């Protein structure tokens, strides 16, 4: 920060000392059409009204927020007008055809309020002033020079920050070729300590990248209920991932198993239908698999079920199901694989008479904690190994959905599988809801994590492709106010379902599902990265007040946008603070150098305002790998978060899981396929923090024997005490291309038993693993290898 101020001071003194500018200049807004019209509004000034100078070299002061990411977000023919002495407005079209008008307002041309969109036809009728502005030529204003100077300062600062944030491990090493190993003095002030959150490291599970179906949810059959549809993906339908070796697969909907599950398959005698699972079914020799299916046959059918290899050879016992019920009936059996095979299939053959089948399911018996309808054991264990103190679910964007109809409804995700209501997943696939709220809560309990469900704040994703009332994409819709009571009741019912005893309506359902004891829900997230619009605020306030009135102890977590600054962040913080929301959920995906340069981000936070849940963050570099460079930047930043564990209550890296071949978002923490897990360096960092958490932060001061601040800030440390064990935990990050020797000064480590964990690797390494050793610290000094993260766990007792 010091450097930024120095830089600004330099610029400003240069400007005032040498620039000869008049008291006022002409100012106008314009756009260039570059970058497929996505660069938005630029501002230029002129001394004579003829020759124009672009501020910040075509700096984008405002971009269109209309429509979905990718193809949308375009701005055409913007008009910048001054509405009053304190308000500017920008009116623009969102496409070349001039059908939809975007409206944005601001007081300083930097922080813009949420945009509104109107059909141009409507604007012509209802908003003559806007229509007039749109049809006029560019308006030019006379503004004091100080106004333009403030904009120049803003763009200079942005340019400087972008330059800082573009420094990579490689460019830093190249710029400092003769850097010598450094010496670090670490003065630990054992008497200067503070209590910090005991929930700092958690996980954020979003059903993205096939994280649920095909991922953590151990179901092996894809499209088990024949409910895939073109809403999930244009080319999908009820027969997707099934083939009938005998010809066409017949799908019917009359008298289904459940109205929520309307499609089923009808097999004629001799039909053999085959399911390929999710990229094949990985089976292990000798393992048992629970088969379940619903069948109905008026004339007493008979089904035979078997696992096969890709050539149709049988690789399990073959079971016969006497499907002799005229109404839907569930049948269960066990298949035992007689060979290990990664791409097995499930074959179901109608041996006699027409038979309808639905919800054909296959689970390994060995799920996590052997639960039925359970989770894939290795993936669940990898998450448990982080020792997360909480789990946020089911998204992210998934929670608020693409449009009102796609808002995640927790009630659709509980109860009998055949009665759960599947939906499309806005990430481009299908949600069976088999992994639903019961399973999420159960998993949290199994791994000792607080459940943190996130529910939409009565608004869907602002990037939704369709607005149900206006049909205008990208316009933030909201649940109609006359439907909000019912929506709020659903949220209150969730709390009753989770926490009330079994004499209550919803507590009874939880008990019936197998969990008579309450789940003890303490946190609830309302909203995700929402536009802080009036539509949002009104609905959030209604929900918040209702929860507080009925469950005053519930910790409601609000939302403050998708960035570490900007409109949603600023307005979101103002709103949450004014409402007295106890905690807000911050998100930022940033370059490693942002994390390196902003280690003081939370040092400056007001401790009287809401607490922080850093709910989504990750370091992103070009190509978006998860490698040692990103992981070490995250470790370095987490040291600063621990230091601020009195204001930051929780953190969760995002996203958590990604299935190879089905990844919509990179980087992720754990990559996997059907038979392997590929934890990343970022995962190892989370695990090292999760397993070495403390409840007391101990102050320390670090001195690096190098004069360059860019070198100094690549060394970070955090010292905490695990109050339960009495262990002192020292975390040390070295993001330099040279070794660092730490001198522990007054803290004499020679006397203690120490466990040392070191994660080390070159910046682009993706497979580095931590090495644990038990060795004494020699001469009270420790060598930190270049590009490393070290944790010392010191047994003080
Ligand atoms: O983590 C992936 C996505 O990033 C989340 O769904 C959303 O909240 C954020 O934009």
């Amino acid at each position: 920060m010091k450097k930024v101020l120095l830089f600004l001071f330099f610029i400003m003194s240069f400007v005032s000392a040498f620039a000869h500018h008049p008291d006022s200049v002409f100012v106008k807004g314009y756009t260039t059409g570059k970058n497929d019209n996505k660069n938005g509004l630029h501002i230029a000034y002129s001394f004579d009204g003829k020759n124009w100078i672009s501020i910040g070299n075509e700096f984008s002061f405002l971009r269109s927020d209309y429509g979905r990411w990718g193809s949308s977000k375009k701005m055409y023919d913007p008009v910048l007008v001054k509405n009053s002495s304190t308000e500017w407005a920008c009116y623009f079209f969102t496409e070349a055809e001039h059908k939809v008008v975007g409206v944005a307002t601001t007081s300083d041309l930097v922080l813009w309020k949420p945009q509104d969109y109107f059909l141009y036809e409507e604007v012509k009728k209802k908003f003559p002033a806007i229509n007039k502005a749109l049809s006029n030529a560019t308006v030019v204003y006379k503004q004091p020079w100080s106004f333009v100077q403030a904009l120049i300062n803003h763009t200079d600062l942005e340019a400087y920050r972008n330059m800082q944030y573009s420094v990579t491990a490689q460019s830093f090493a190249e710029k400092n070729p003769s850097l010598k190993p450094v010496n670090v003095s670490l003065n630990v002030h054992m008497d200067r300590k503070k209590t910090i959150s005991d929930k700092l490291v958690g996980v954020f599970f979003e059903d993205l990248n096939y994280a649920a179906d095909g991922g953590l949810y151990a179901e092996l059959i894809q499209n088990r209920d024949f409910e895939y549809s073109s809403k999930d993906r244009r080319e999908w339908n009820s027969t997707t991932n099934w083939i009938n070796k005998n010809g066409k697969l017949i799908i019917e909907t009359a008298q289904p198993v459940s109205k929520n599950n309307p499609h089923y398959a009808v097999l004629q005698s001799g039909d053999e239908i085959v399911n390929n699972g999710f990229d094949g079914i990985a089976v292990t020799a000798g393992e048992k698999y629970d088969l379940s299916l619903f069948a109905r046959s008026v004339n007493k059918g008979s089904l035979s079920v078997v696992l096969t290899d890709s050539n149709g050879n049988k690789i399990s016992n073959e079971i016969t199901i006497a499907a002799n019920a005229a109404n839907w009936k569930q049948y269960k059996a066990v298949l035992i694989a007689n060979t290990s095979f990664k791409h097995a299939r499930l074959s179901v053959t109608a041996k006699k008479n027409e038979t309808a089948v639905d919800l054909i399911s296959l689970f390994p018996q060995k799920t996590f904690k052997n639960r039925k309808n359970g989770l894939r054991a290795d993936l669940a264990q990898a998450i448990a190994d982080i020792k997360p103190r909480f789990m946020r679910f089911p998204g992210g964007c998934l929670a608020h959905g693409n449009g009102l109809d796609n808002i995640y409804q927790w009630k659709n995700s509980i109860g009998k599988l055949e009665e759960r209501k599947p939906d499309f997943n806005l990430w481009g696939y299908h949600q069976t809801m088999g992994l639903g709220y019961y399973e999420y809560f159960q998993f949290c309990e199994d791994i000792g994590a607080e459940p943190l469900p996130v529910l939409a704040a009565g608004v869907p994703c602002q990037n939704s492709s369709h607005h149900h009332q206006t049909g205008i994409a990208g316009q933030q819709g909201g649940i109609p106010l006359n439907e909000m009571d019912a929506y709020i009741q659903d949220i209150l019912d969730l709390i009753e379902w989770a926490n009330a005893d079994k004499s209550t309506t919803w507590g009874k359902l939880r008990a019936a599902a197998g969990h008579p004891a309450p789940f003890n829900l303490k946190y609830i997230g309302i909203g995700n990265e929402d536009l802080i619009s009036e539509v949002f605020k009104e609905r959030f306030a209604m929900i918040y007040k209702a929860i507080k009135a009925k469950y005053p102890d519930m910790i409601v977590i609000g939302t403050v946008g998708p960035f570490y600054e900007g409109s949603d962040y600023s307005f979101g913080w103002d709103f949450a603070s004014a409402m007295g929301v106890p905690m807000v959920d911050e998100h930022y995906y940033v370059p490693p150098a942002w994390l390196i340069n902003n280690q003081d981000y939370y040092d400056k936070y007001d401790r009287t305002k809401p607490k922080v849940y850093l709910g989504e963050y990750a370091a992103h570099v070009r190509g978006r790998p998860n490698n040692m460079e990103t992981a070490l930047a995250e470790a370095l930043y987490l040291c600063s978060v621990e230091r601020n564990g009195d204001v930051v209550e929780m953190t969760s890296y995002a996203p958590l899981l990604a299935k190879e071949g089905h990844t919509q978002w990179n980087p992720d923490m754990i990559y996997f396929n059907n038979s392997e897990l590929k934890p990343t360096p970022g995962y190892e960092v989370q695990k090292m923090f999760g397993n070495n958490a403390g409840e007391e932060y101990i102050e320390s001061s670090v001195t690096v024997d190098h004069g360059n601040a860019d070198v100094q800030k690549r060394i970070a440390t955090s010292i905490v005490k695990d109050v339960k064990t009495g262990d002192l935990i020292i975390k040390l990050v070295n993001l330099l291309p040279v070794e660092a020797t730490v001198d522990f000064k007054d803290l004499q480590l020679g006397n203690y038993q120490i466990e040392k964990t070191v994660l080390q690797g070159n910046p682009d390494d993706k497979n580095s693993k931590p090495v644990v050793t038990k060795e004494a610290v020699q001469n009270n000094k420790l060598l930190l290898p270049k590009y490393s993260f070290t944790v010392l766990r010191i047994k003080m007792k």
Side-chain angles (χ1 to χ4, degrees):
M1 194 61 200
K2 231 190 242 162
K3 239 183 153 179
V4 176
L5 291 175
L6 274 175
F7 176 79
L8 274 183
F9 177 72
F10 170 74
I11 293 279
M12 287 169 77
S13 15
F14 180 87
V15 169
S16 48
F18 300 106
H20 297 287
H21 47 72
D23 291 344
S24 59
V25 287
F26 297 102
V27 171
K28 69 171 184 183
Y30 72 104
T31 194
T32 61
K34 288 180 191 166
N35 186 24
D36 198 13
N37 290 283
K38 288 182 192 161
N39 283 1
L41 177 76
H42 310 301
I43 296 172
Y45 68 93
S46 167
F47 297 113
D48 56 10
K50 292 182 203 131
N51 299 300
W52 291 91
I53 302 164
S54 172
I55 298 180
N57 194 16
E58 295 183 358
F59 182 85
S60 299
F61 282 88
L62 171 74
R63 289 180 199 267
S64 167
D65 202 15
Y66 176 82
R68 304 205 74 185
W69 301 112
S71 57
S72 311
K73 312 273 186 213
K74 297 183 187 181
M75 182 183 284
Y76 292 80
D77 308 318
V79 188
L80 182 66
V81 293
K82 203 170 168 184
N83 281 345
S84 68
S85 61
T86 53
E87 189 186 80
W88 294 82
C90 177
Y91 308 125
F92 59 91
F93 291 99
T94 61
E95 64 317 84
E97 294 76 31
H98 286 197
K99 279 195 224 136
V100 176
V101 176
V103 177
T105 57
T106 174
S107 60
D108 58 3
L109 298 179
V110 172
L111 211 56
W112 293 78
K113 295 200 182 124
Q115 299 176 12
D116 278 319
Y117 310 103
F118 304 94
L119 292 170
Y120 190 24
E121 289 309 314
E122 198 186 338
V123 169
K124 286 183 196 160
K125 286 183 212 139
K126 291 196 202 152
F127 307 108
I130 299 181
N131 187 33
K132 188 163 168 238
L134 283 167
S135 35
N136 277 344
T138 307
V139 200
V140 171
Y141 292 93
K142 204 98 207 254
Q143 286 295 116
W145 172 255
S146 56
F147 176 85
V148 171
Q149 183 63 60
L151 297 182
I152 293 174
N153 290 349
H154 174 71
T155 59
D156 284 345
L157 179 58
E158 284 299 302
Y160 176 72
R161 295 204 307 180
N162 288 342
M163 193 182 74
Q164 262 199 329
Y165 302 159
S166 68
V167 175
T168 61
Q170 187 184 348
S171 66
F172 180 85
E174 282 167 3
K175 211 177 142 208
N176 296 279
S178 48
L179 188 65
K180 299 273 171 318
V182 296
N183 293 303
V184 178
S185 300
L186 179 63
N187 284 294
V188 182
H189 311 297
M190 291 299 284
D191 51 337
R192 296 196 333 228
K193 53 190 179 191
K194 64 178 170 187
T195 303
I196 58 168
S197 166
D198 61 355
K199 303 209 166 31
L200 262 189
V201 176
V203 288
F204 163 44
F205 178 91
E206 172 157 23
D207 184 7
L208 153 73
N209 305 322
Y210 276 46
D213 295 295
L216 186 61
Y217 185 46
E219 173 64 80
L220 294 168
I221 304 301
Q222 183 173 190
N223 192 13
R224 65 183 179 188
D225 51 9
F226 306 96
E227 296 302 333
Y228 272 26
S229 84
S230 57
K231 272 181 129 186
D232 304 317
R233 200 173 284 183
R234 202 173 306 139
E235 65 276 18
W236 282 3
N237 60 46
S238 292
T239 67
T240 296
N241 210 46
W242 289 98
I243 52 161
N244 180 359
K245 286 193 171 171
N246 229 6
K248 194 168 175 285
L249 178 57
I250 301 168
I251 300 292
E252 285 187 5
T253 55
Q255 296 175 313
V257 173
S258 151
K259 68 176 181 344
N260 292 338
N261 187 356
H263 300 87
Y264 55 88
V266 178
L267 310 191
Q268 305 301 323
S269 180
D271 280 357
E272 179 187 359
I273 60 170
V274 177
N275 189 288
N276 185 32
F278 293 87
D279 306 332
I281 300 170
V283 293
T284 308
E287 291 297 335
K288 294 182 177 157
Y289 297 87
D290 285 336
L291 174 89
S292 151
L293 58 79
F294 282 75
R296 181 178 73 188
S297 178
V298 179
N299 295 318
K300 296 198 190 315
S302 171
L303 300 169
S304 106
V305 186
V306 67
L307 285 164
T308 72
D309 65 16
S310 19
N311 296 322
N313 302 313
K314 294 173 187 168
I315 58 166
S316 75
N317 55 322
E318 184 167 9
I319 49 159
T320 301
I321 292 175
N324 49 14
N327 289 320
W328 288 110
K329 183 175 166 195
Q330 187 175 19
Y331 298 87
K332 292 184 178 175
V334 175
L335 293 176
I336 305 173
N338 53 35
T339 182
S340 294
F341 194 65
K342 286 187 181 165
H343 297 102
R345 289 151 192 219
L346 185 78
S347 150
V348 180
T349 306
K351 290 289 186 196
K352 63 172 190 187
N353 297 331
E354 181 180 289
T355 306
V357 287
D358 203 356
L359 217 88
I360 303 175
S361 164
L362 189 72
F363 272 85
Q365 282 192 351
K366 283 192 183 155
T367 57
F368 187 61
K369 307 254 178 209
N370 298 325
R371 297 210 175 276
K372 294 295 173 199
N373 194 43
L375 306 183
R376 194 175 134 174
D378 55 351
L379 266 180
Q381 189 57 53
I383 298 171
D385 289 345
I386 296 171
K387 296 219 171 107
R389 303 303 197 272
F390 66 90
M391 183 170 94
R392 175 183 186 235
F393 58 86
C397 291
L398 183 96
H400 59 189
N402 178 11
L404 285 181
D405 297 342
N406 188 232
I407 287 179
Y408 191 101
Q409 305 286 349
W410 75 271
K411 287 182 179 173
N412 290 341
S413 81
I414 59 163
K416 292 180 183 166
L417 291 183
E418 64 275 23
E419 284 168 11
R420 296 189 188 183
K421 200 169 174 189
D423 200 357
F424 73 92
N425 181 317
L426 83 180
W427 295 106
Y429 56 104
H430 180 86
Q431 310 176 65
T432 62
M433 302 284 179
L435 170 50
Y437 262 49
Y438 183 83
E439 291 75 23
Y440 284 125
F441 273 76
Q442 182 63 72
F443 180 49
C444 288
E445 188 174 87
D446 283 345
I447 62 174
E450 298 287 352
L452 166 45
V454 182
L455 294 107
V459 296
C461 178
Q462 70 207 60
N463 300 304
S464 294
S465 54
H466 182 78
H467 181 282
H468 77 299
Q469 282 156 334
T470 63
I472 299 182
Q475 187 178 28
Q476 188 182 38
I479 294 179
L481 288 175
N482 62 1
E483 292 171 26
M484 275 302 289
D485 281 352
Y487 182 71
I488 291 169
Q489 190 56 50
D490 280 351
I491 298 178
L492 300 177
D493 289 345
L494 169 63
I495 302 173
E496 181 177 300
W497 175 84
N499 288 355
D501 67 49
K502 53 188 183 195
S503 65
T504 61
T505 312
W506 289 95
K508 193 169 162 189
L509 284 185
R510 180 200 66 238
H515 203 284
F519 277 122
N520 204 10
L521 175 67
K522 300 189 190 85
Y523 302 89
I524 192 160
I526 299 297
N528 175 67
E529 295 188 355
D530 299 304
L531 193 68
I532 310 298
S533 62
E534 294 309 314
V535 176
F536 162 83
K537 288 199 267 187
E538 189 172 17
R539 285 158 181 78
F540 181 94
M542 290 167 85
I543 299 168
Y544 179 67
K545 285 179 190 156
I547 298 176
K548 278 293 165 204
K550 189 150 187 205
Y551 300 104
D553 294 336
M554 187 61 54
I555 299 175
V556 177
I557 303 181
T559 177
V560 293
F563 301 115
Y564 54 83
E565 63 181 12
S567 300
D568 293 330
Y569 176 85
S570 296
F571 300 138
W573 263 100
D574 290 349
F575 176 63
S577 306
M579 292 277 304
V581 174
M583 207 187 301
V584 295
D585 177 11
E586 294 189 345
H587 295 179
Y588 39 87
Y589 298 93
V590 288
W594 188 94
L595 298 173
I596 295 168
N597 282 292
N598 285 282
Q599 292 172 67
D600 60 349
Y601 189 72
Y602 292 116
D603 294 342
K604 298 169 293 199
Y605 266 45
D606 182 344
R607 269 52 187 169
T608 64
K609 290 212 170 146
K611 300 274 188 207
V612 175
Y613 165 35
L614 175 51
E616 294 185 26
Y617 73 97
H620 285 184
V621 288
R622 190 188 289 268
R624 309 264 290 252
N626 187 323
N627 60 18
M628 278 301 285
E629 177 171 10
T630 57
L632 290 178
E634 287 149 12
L636 187 103
Y637 193 69
L638 280 175
C639 286
S640 80
V641 170
E642 277 193 338
R643 180 172 71 241
N644 285 286
D646 55 329
V647 66
V648 182
E649 279 277 319
M650 304 159 127
T651 66
S652 46
Y653 177 96
L656 177 61
L657 299 182
K659 184 162 197 172
E660 288 179 338
H662 300 280
T663 299
Q664 294 91 38
W665 182 291
N666 283 300
D668 303 286
M669 205 205 288
I670 304 171
Y671 290 85
F672 64 93
N673 55 38
N674 282 344
S675 44
E676 277 171 291
L677 298 193
K678 301 183 178 174
T680 58
Y683 168 79
E684 304 301 347
V685 164
Q686 294 295 320
K687 202 161 117 185
M688 285 165 76
F689 269 88
N691 282 268
N692 292 290
E695 299 81 17
E696 250 175 35
Y697 182 81
I698 309 216
E699 257 186 55
S700 62
S701 41
V702 174
T703 320
V704 181
D705 70 341
H706 197 288
N708 184 343
D710 287 332
V711 172
Q712 293 165 13
K713 63 191 166 199
R714 283 169 167 76
I715 299 281
T717 182
S718 165
I719 303 173
V720 295
K721 187 169 167 190
D722 178 343
V723 175
K724 280 179 263 16
T725 60
D727 293 356
L728 189 72
I729 299 161
I730 305 185
K731 303 189 179 82
L732 299 144
V733 181
N734 176 13
L735 233 168
L736 292 169
V738 293
E739 291 170 342
T741 303
V742 183
D743 183 338
F744 292 94
K745 296 289 175 187
D746 291 344
L747 184 71
Q748 291 300 318
L749 291 185
N751 308 330
Y752 299 105
Q753 197 193 326
I754 297 177
E755 185 186 86
K756 182 172 86 168
T757 310
V758 182
L759 178 68
Q760 198 275 328
N762 287 327
D764 55 0
D765 282 351
K766 297 195 190 80
N767 296 312
S768 309
K769 297 282 169 245
V771 176
V772 183
T773 49
K774 287 206 165 104
E775 57 190 60
V777 168
Q778 303 293 334
N779 306 322
N780 213 31
K781 287 193 177 160
L782 183 74
L783 185 79
L784 307 181
K786 64 178 185 174
Y787 301 123
S788 65
F789 173 34
T790 301
V791 178
L792 299 181
R793 194 167 185 112
I794 304 157
K795 294 265 161 233
M796 300 300 274
K797 283 182 185 161

